[in-house]
Amino acid sequence: MYIQALGLTGTMYTTTATNVDKYRPLAYDESAPFDERAEGNAKNSFFGGHPSVTATSMFFAAKVVSDYYPDRKGLHWAMYGGVAVTTYANAYLRVQAGKHFATHVAVGSLIGALSDILVPQLHK
């Protein structure tokens, strides 16, 4: 199931990154090196791949633990809280590095969270 969730997220990322030309913030930054601004990778910003993979991995673990231990509500809160903090930290650092706009990492995080919550739910 984990491979399916990662495969779903990866397929959606690859499809959108190759078909949607959204430039990274660093492409507009005059102080960034020209080589970095002009490379082909500078225009596949939508959606954020790193936050989506982080969300997929972390939310999958939280979902599986929640399903195996349905009576441990405190554990659920701790798991999902840790997942949210980790995903947010990844997204924040990607925005600060000039690799993505905030909306791009938000969409990536949402897609990652949805794919890994839905895959185990469909197998239930």
Side-chain angles (χ1 to χ4, degrees):
M1 288 187 299
Y2 179 64
I3 300 297
Q4 286 177 338
L6 278 178
L8 180 62
T9 301
T11 301
M12 287 191 290
Y13 170 74
T14 304
T15 302
T16 57
T18 56
N19 293 319
V20 178
D21 286 337
K22 288 285 192 178
Y23 287 91
R24 295 182 185 278
L26 63 86
Y28 303 107
D29 185 7
E30 296 290 330
S31 64
F34 180 75
D35 295 342
E36 194 173 335
R37 291 176 26 213
E39 69 182 4
N41 192 27
K43 66 176 187 172
N44 64 351
S45 176
F46 188 78
F47 57 86
H50 287 88
S52 67
V53 170
T54 301
T56 299
S57 302
M58 301 296 288
F59 272 104
F60 182 84
K63 172 71 172 148
V64 170
V65 168
S66 294
D67 288 347
Y68 276 113
Y69 303 105
D71 298 332
R72 299 177 119 182
K73 300 297 181 193
L75 179 62
H76 300 177
W77 282 101
M79 292 283 293
Y80 282 109
V83 166
V85 167
T86 305
T87 303
Y88 174 78
N90 185 305
Y92 175 79
L93 292 173
R94 296 297 288 174
V95 170
Q96 290 302 312
K99 300 294 184 181
H100 293 287
F101 291 105
T103 54
H104 298 176
V105 295
V107 170
S109 299
L110 181 64
I111 287 174
L114 287 176
S115 70
D116 64 33
I117 289 175
L118 291 177
V119 168
Q121 191 65 32
L122 292 174
H123 281 278
K124 251 176 134 175

